[in-house]
PDB file of all heavy atoms in Angstrom:
ATOM      1  N   GLU K  32     -23.259 -29.554 -18.039  1.00 98.00           N
ATOM      2  CA  GLU K  32     -22.004 -30.038 -18.646  1.00 98.00           C
ATOM      3  C   GLU K  32     -22.156 -31.526 -18.952  1.00 98.00           C
ATOM      4  O   GLU K  32     -23.162 -32.157 -18.591  1.00 98.00           O
ATOM      5  CB  GLU K  32     -20.848 -29.841 -17.639  1.00 98.00           C
ATOM      6  CG  GLU K  32     -19.811 -28.787 -18.028  1.00 98.00           C
ATOM      7  CD  GLU K  32     -18.865 -29.273 -19.121  1.00 98.00           C
ATOM      8  OE1 GLU K  32     -19.065 -30.358 -19.669  1.00 98.00           O
ATOM      9  OE2 GLU K  32     -17.914 -28.528 -19.430  1.00 98.00           O
ATOM     10  N   ASN K  73     -18.713 -33.776 -13.638  1.00 98.00           N
ATOM     11  CA  ASN K  73     -18.612 -32.865 -14.776  1.00 98.00           C
ATOM     12  C   ASN K  73     -18.744 -33.667 -16.069  1.00 98.00           C
ATOM     13  O   ASN K  73     -19.826 -34.102 -16.410  1.00 98.00           O
ATOM     14  CB  ASN K  73     -17.292 -32.081 -14.669  1.00 98.00           C
ATOM     15  CG  ASN K  73     -17.133 -31.008 -15.716  1.00 98.00           C
ATOM     16  OD1 ASN K  73     -17.774 -31.037 -16.757  1.00 98.00           O
ATOM     17  ND2 ASN K  73     -16.268 -30.051 -15.452  1.00 98.00           N
ATOM     18  N   ASN K 118     -12.055 -33.071 -15.381  1.00 98.00           N
ATOM     19  CA  ASN K 118     -13.037 -32.226 -16.066  1.00 98.00           C
ATOM     20  C   ASN K 118     -13.714 -32.926 -17.222  1.00 98.00           C
ATOM     21  O   ASN K 118     -14.935 -32.892 -17.348  1.00 98.00           O
ATOM     22  CB  ASN K 118     -12.301 -30.967 -16.558  1.00 98.00           C
ATOM     23  CG  ASN K 118     -13.219 -29.921 -17.129  1.00 98.00           C
ATOM     24  OD1 ASN K 118     -13.834 -30.145 -18.163  1.00 98.00           O
ATOM     25  ND2 ASN K 118     -13.325 -28.782 -16.457  1.00 98.00           N
ATOM     26  N   ASP K 119     -12.905 -33.554 -18.088  1.00 98.00           N
ATOM     27  CA  ASP K 119     -13.500 -34.208 -19.252  1.00 98.00           C
ATOM     28  C   ASP K 119     -12.706 -35.462 -19.561  1.00 98.00           C
ATOM     29  O   ASP K 119     -11.524 -35.558 -19.209  1.00 98.00           O
ATOM     30  CB  ASP K 119     -13.518 -33.261 -20.444  1.00 98.00           C
ATOM     31  CG  ASP K 119     -14.792 -33.428 -21.268  1.00 98.00           C
ATOM     32  OD1 ASP K 119     -15.467 -34.474 -21.130  1.00 98.00           O
ATOM     33  OD2 ASP K 119     -15.115 -32.518 -22.050  1.00 98.00           O
ATOM     34  N   ASN K 174      -8.859 -28.898 -20.957  1.00 96.00           N
ATOM     35  CA  ASN K 174     -10.297 -29.047 -20.699  1.00 96.00           C
ATOM     36  C   ASN K 174     -10.867 -30.127 -21.621  1.00 96.00           C
ATOM     37  O   ASN K 174     -10.546 -31.303 -21.425  1.00 96.00           O
ATOM     38  CB  ASN K 174     -10.953 -27.669 -20.874  1.00 96.00           C
ATOM     39  CG  ASN K 174     -12.268 -27.559 -20.156  1.00 96.00           C
ATOM     40  OD1 ASN K 174     -13.079 -28.484 -20.177  1.00 96.00           O
ATOM     41  ND2 ASN K 174     -12.508 -26.447 -19.498  1.00 96.00           N
ATOM     42  N   GLY K 175     -11.633 -29.772 -22.637  1.00 97.00           N
ATOM     43  CA  GLY K 175     -12.195 -30.791 -23.526  1.00 97.00           C
ATOM     44  C   GLY K 175     -11.107 -31.496 -24.317  1.00 97.00           C
ATOM     45  O   GLY K 175     -10.066 -30.909 -24.622  1.00 97.00           O
ATOM     46  N   ASP K 227     -14.584 -25.517 -24.723  1.00 95.00           N
ATOM     47  CA  ASP K 227     -14.660 -26.367 -23.533  1.00 95.00           C
ATOM     48  C   ASP K 227     -14.805 -27.789 -24.083  1.00 95.00           C
ATOM     49  O   ASP K 227     -13.830 -28.367 -24.568  1.00 95.00           O
ATOM     50  CB  ASP K 227     -15.859 -25.901 -22.685  1.00 95.00           C
ATOM     51  CG  ASP K 227     -15.880 -26.466 -21.282  1.00 95.00           C
ATOM     52  OD1 ASP K 227     -15.301 -27.533 -21.078  1.00 95.00           O
ATOM     53  OD2 ASP K 227     -16.503 -25.856 -20.393  1.00 95.00           O
ATOM     54  N   GLY K 228     -15.981 -28.372 -24.092  1.00 97.00           N
ATOM     55  CA  GLY K 228     -16.141 -29.718 -24.655  1.00 97.00           C
ATOM     56  C   GLY K 228     -16.130 -29.721 -26.175  1.00 97.00           C
ATOM     57  O   GLY K 228     -16.521 -28.747 -26.817  1.00 97.00           O
ATOM     58  N   SER K 265     -21.114 -25.233 -23.008  1.00 97.00           N
ATOM     59  CA  SER K 265     -20.040 -25.874 -22.246  1.00 97.00           C
ATOM     60  C   SER K 265     -19.572 -27.163 -22.903  1.00 97.00           C
ATOM     61  O   SER K 265     -18.400 -27.523 -22.821  1.00 97.00           O
ATOM     62  CB  SER K 265     -20.523 -26.198 -20.833  1.00 97.00           C
ATOM     63  OG  SER K 265     -21.599 -27.127 -20.898  1.00 97.00           O
ATOM     64  N   ASN K 266     -20.505 -27.887 -23.541  1.00 98.00           N
ATOM     65  CA  ASN K 266     -20.134 -29.199 -24.051  1.00 98.00           C
ATOM     66  C   ASN K 266     -21.223 -29.689 -25.009  1.00 98.00           C
ATOM     67  O   ASN K 266     -22.290 -29.076 -25.109  1.00 98.00           O
ATOM     68  CB  ASN K 266     -19.940 -30.180 -22.887  1.00 98.00           C
ATOM     69  CG  ASN K 266     -18.861 -31.208 -23.161  1.00 98.00           C
ATOM     70  OD1 ASN K 266     -18.618 -31.599 -24.309  1.00 98.00           O
ATOM     71  ND2 ASN K 266     -18.208 -31.668 -22.104  1.00 98.00           N
TER      72      ASN K 266
HETATM   73 MG1   MG H   1     -15.147 -29.033 -19.558  1.00 56.11          MG
END
Side-chain angles (χ1 to χ4, degrees):
E32 248 284 6
N73 186 339
N118 187 294
D119 218 342
N174 202 318
D227 193 335
S265 63
N266 213 330

